[in-house]
Structure formats: structure tokens, C-alpha cells
Amino acid sequence: MDSIPLPVPVAAGPGPAGRGRRKPIRSRVRHGSPSCADYGCTRPECIAAARRDRARRTSELKAGRPARVSSAEASARVHQLQATGLSAADIAEISGVAVTLIRRLLRPAGKQPARIHRATADAILGIPPTSVFRRDRLLPGLTDADRAATSLQDLAERGWPTSFLATELDTSTHTVAAIRSRERRRITLDLDRKIGQLAAVLFASQPAPHGIAAHRSRRARTAALQRAPLVRPRDPDMVRQPKWVP
């Protein structure tokens, strides 16, 4: 993912091509993420995450939603935000995107990356262009994603597939997975509201009446329970908050 610092070039180790690279000291990659397996980690949860990520990219590509998109819109938004007084570090802190990538998007035309990850673009475009950043409160238009993450994990543990949730929320499966795994620290108020409204409906229902096959529900539930120790918040005050205020 683009929010992860680029690895230090070293000779590849054993395993598939691209694997075995040494993870940088300041890397934000954690166990249970696809990129961890790319660095040669053999933990089951990392290998499983890489497998799911490949399957997701394949399905989204077939559906006409490539994993990478043009950086033009994100670059324009970063320049808009800079004009309001935000620094590259501010934008990185708000969006969760690496500051090195934000700085690359601020470069003159022709020196910017041509394409970036869809989730990275979503995170940057989710920042309102006319907002003023203050360190003592959240940016207007954005809210903390912890509540949404907890609710999405709860829904997955009840057998609701990621693809179904993404369709109902009118977003990508990668965005749903990124919020649920707490890779996205803040989300737009609109998406937070959508997740809350959808959760209120689905918590009172079952997957089968919505046309979801039993094997899909079992698969979603099994995957959710496996990742639960990695994504559940440690603070008990943050656990299970399914109710939203409209």
C-alpha cells in the first residue's frame, strides 16, 4: 500500500519473486497485513492476508475497479489543502498516508507518481478541501474510524461478507477492509453515518434473507474470528459500540 514507506533495496531472499526483502526499520507494516508476507514473513495470518489481498485485487480488476488509479485528483486535493495552510505532515497525519507520498504528490507535474493505490486516493480525497486543521480536535468533515471499525468487524463475525458490505456502502472492498483492520484512522462523516445506518439494519437481520449463501457467511465468519485478536481494540471502553447517533 502506498502509505507504507518504500523498502530498502536488498537482494531478494528465498521464496517467490519480490519476497525476502528486508523490512525498513521505520516501516509501518504489521503482522497480519499483506505487505508483511511480501517481506518474507511466514506467519499464517500474514500469508492468509496476502492470499486474500491477491483475490481481492483480482475480483476488483474483473469488476472494472483496478487497485491503482490516476493520482491526478489526489494531487489536486493535496495542493488545495496546502493552500489552506496544511503542511505535508498535517495532511499525512489526517489521512493516514505516508508523508513521503504526500510530498511526492506536491511535486511539479511530471515528477509526481502517475498512479497510486485506490485506498490512498480515497483517504486523501476524504479530507474536505476548505477545512482548517487544528491539533486539538478532529478535522471538520472527518471522524475517528474506531467505532466504524468495531462495527464492521462485528458484522463480519456474524457472517456478513466484505463484498456485500462494500456494495451496500457504495465503496470498495479494500476500503471496508482497511477501516475494519484499523489501517484507516479517520473516515468521512458521510461514510461513518452510512456504516452506522447499515449496521443498525444488519445487526437485526441475518445474511440468508439478503441472498447470501451459507458458505459465504461461514467463510466471512471464519476469517473474521481469525483476525479478531489483531483488530479488536485493547481499550475496553472502545469495544462494541454498535449504536450511532443520526
Side-chain angles (χ1 to χ4, degrees):
M1 182 174 174
D2 291 304
S3 61
I4 298 171
L6 295 175
V8 177
V10 295
R19 299 259 178 115
R21 299 173 298 176
R22 183 180 303 138
K23 185 159 63 175
I25 295 176
R26 298 178 62 186
S27 172
R28 295 168 61 190
V29 173
R30 296 293 179 267
H31 289 300
S33 66
S35 297
C36 192
D38 291 339
Y39 285 120
C41 181
T42 57
R43 287 195 179 193
E45 63 266 30
C46 300
I47 294 175
R51 188 178 299 115
R52 288 194 302 270
D53 190 58
R54 286 194 298 272
R56 174 191 56 76
R57 290 199 303 267
T58 300
S59 63
E60 291 196 348
L61 188 60
K62 289 180 179 178
R65 293 178 61 85
R68 290 183 175 271
V69 297
S70 170
S71 66
E73 282 190 84
S75 177
R77 178 59 57 84
V78 167
H79 280 88
Q80 283 181 309
L81 294 169
Q82 187 184 51
T84 68
L86 297 184
S87 68
D90 290 334
I91 299 170
E93 180 181 348
I94 297 165
S95 65
V97 175
V99 67
T100 51
L101 178 59
I102 299 298
R103 288 172 179 152
R104 290 170 62 196
L105 291 172
L106 286 169
R107 292 174 181 172
K111 295 185 178 181
Q112 304 167 356
R115 301 181 72 77
I116 58 177
H117 203 287
R118 179 182 296 278
T120 299
D122 288 345
I124 293 172
L125 294 173
I127 304 175
T130 58
S131 298
V132 178
F133 179 70
R134 289 176 52 189
R135 294 189 181 278
D136 60 344
R137 62 174 172 80
L138 294 178
L139 188 73
L142 294 179
T143 186
D144 192 277
D146 281 325
R147 183 172 57 179
T150 298
S151 198
L152 288 174
Q153 175 64 16
D154 286 342
L155 289 171
E157 291 179 9
R158 298 182 187 207
W160 296 97
T162 303
S163 57
F164 174 85
L165 298 176
T167 300
E168 294 297 308
L169 295 169
D170 192 27
T171 188
S172 69
T173 56
H174 189 280
T175 296
V176 172
I179 296 171
R180 187 177 57 205
S181 63
R182 303 179 189 276
E183 294 175 18
R184 291 279 293 274
R185 295 178 295 174
R186 296 186 176 102
I187 57 176
T188 63
L189 289 171
D190 181 58
L191 182 54
D192 181 67
R193 185 163 46 249
K194 285 182 179 179
I195 293 173
Q197 292 171 345
L198 181 63
V201 172
L202 299 186
F203 280 145
S205 183
Q206 296 294 326
H210 291 261
I212 298 173
H215 72 276
R216 292 183 62 201
S217 288
R218 286 196 300 270
R219 188 164 57 218
R221 187 179 301 110
T222 299
L225 293 175
Q226 289 176 344
R227 68 172 169 266
L230 300 173
V231 302
R232 283 291 183 192
R234 295 181 181 179
D235 184 352
D237 292 333
M238 294 169 54
V239 177
R240 297 190 181 275
Q241 304 175 51
K243 294 183 179 180
W244 258 249
V245 177

